[in-house]
Amino acid sequence: MDMLWSGWGDPAKAAPLPETVIGLLRDLLGVKPRSAEPLRLEEIAVPATPLDAAVLQELSAAVGDEAHVRTDAETRVRHTRGKSTPDLLRIRVGDVADTPAAVVLPATHDEVLAVLRVCARYGLGAVPFGGGTSVVGGLAPERRGPFVALDLRRMDQLVEVDPVSRTATLQPGLRAPEAERLLAEHGFTLGHFPQSYEWATIGGFAAARSSGQASAGYGRFDEMVLGLTVATPEGTLEVGRAPRSAAGPDLRQLILGSEGAFGVITSVTVRVRPQPRVRRYEGWRFASFEEGGAALRRLAQDGPRPTVLRLSDETETLIGLAQPDAIGADGAQQNAGCLAIVGFEGTEEDTARGGEAAAAVLREGGGTFAGDEPGERWAHGRYSAPYLRDALLDAGAFAETLETAAFWSRIPELYSGVRTALTTALTDAGTPPLVMCHISHVYENGASLYFTVVSAQGDDPVAHWAPAKQAANEAILAAGGTISHHHGVGTDHRDWYVREVGALGVEALRAVKRRLDPDGLLNPGVLLPTD
């Protein structure tokens, strides 16, 4: 099943906002109903492909069948940009400026290489496309001519499981739920559950350095990757042959997070873990974000570290966004404070022992046990926030997210700086916002902050957001944060990424790109500025 072309996920799961929430948006933020309905898919005017018959024939030969090279309007629209709020607002009014000239569906590593050879011959850009869930412009290359979307959905197999080493080799187009189903047949789990879980792919996880909601226990995706196979215009790159090595710099880390700019990931070997027998999630309340953050830091640094550990600030807790399926429900705003979700996975004995030890730390840190209900509600609605975002857009509101990370000592300044930047920029634009935040991932040395912003759309919602996004990015760098913790760089963060890594770092990465992709065909302008 394809994702909703003009929104997130399964169209059957989309639901309008309750009238109580619509009233709150109107009274609190001045949100007005949309002036016009979005276009229907069939109303979007997509120009005919600029590729001539000879190019299409060669692409078809590369993937074995002309049915695997698609130039129809609907397929090309469905592969236009990603799923950020500006992406959706643009496609809903028929903006097809970033539409691929064709969508090509290879089924093997060799077919990917063959497609890249055709692209090199004709100077075509090539954008790897997994689940299409990018929210940072990762699927919107700089336009220097036509490009093709390299849809990897046919590369969707579990290739091998090594139960002795506890590793698995997966193809890049395998969607996360199917990967979990296939691994479960062998008694294993990857343990990677980001908010995009239902639609994102294994290759996308690696290309964007994804981090899942259970990262406190299972780790980030880049920590799971043991080996990669990559197709480049210059040939095949194989990296990773042991769990750890002192044989020079780790080239896996060069590909992880490269967002298709250096090559197309065609195989991923990951470490897996036994399926947990017990999954338990519970809620804890703190009087303030500062107090709750200190308790989370203690667990992250001194243990015991739960599998899931996250904390919503006062505003996010009050609104109920910590439990997205409770928005507008009776009692959603009761006992606000700051809600922490704490989860344990493993054996019955391990989860019980870990839960008791963590509870002692949380109580000592000022936490009050709120029972299992908040945790179970969070687990039930953990993938529903993007649907809520779409419902807000449908109601005439603007809603977007951004995230960052920093060392623990810098978290207070980072939190305050980004909130102030967003609030000031949007208020100055005449649309005072609601800015919410939660600690989404924790480490011994720091944490990630995930912000959600809701406001009225303004006359031009895309232009309305740009100064606020820029102000937030500047605040992130000023406070010592990283421009992205798990969403990636894309084109949206590229200019700030350049400042974060410095001129010499950028030149080193450009040298790598010139060697692997000398004509600059792969995702041009994503991650790095074009030469």
Side-chain angles (χ1 to χ4, degrees), residues 192-216:
H192 190 68
F193 305 103
Q195 196 169 80
S196 61
Y197 168 78
E198 295 173 310
W199 296 91
T201 61
I202 296 298
F205 289 154
R209 285 192 184 273
S210 175
S211 190
Q213 295 170 339
S215 65

Side-chain angles (χ1 to χ4, degrees), residues 240-288:
R241 60 185 300 155
R244 293 292 185 272
S245 171
D250 189 348
L251 291 180
R252 289 174 295 194
Q253 299 304 320
L254 189 63
I255 299 302
L256 293 167
S258 62
E259 301 183 32
F262 297 161
V264 182
I265 296 170
T266 59
S267 176
V268 184
T269 298
V270 292
R271 60 115 171 105
V272 293
R273 291 183 177 168
Q275 278 275 327
R277 296 181 182 179
V278 177
R279 289 186 171 97
R280 190 177 80 252
Y281 310 103
E282 58 192 34
W284 287 78
R285 292 191 181 272
F286 292 87
S288 69

Side-chain angles (χ1 to χ4, degrees), residues 53 65 69 82 99 112 131 169 175 194 222-223 259 268 284 300 345 361 384 394 412 433 438 442 497 520:
D65 193 321
V69 177
T99 298
V112 174
T169 300
R175 289 238 304 261
D222 51 6
E223 296 170 327
E259 301 183 32
V268 184
W284 287 78
E345 298 183 7
V361 174
S384 61
D394 291 341
H438 63 265
V442 298
Y497 173 66

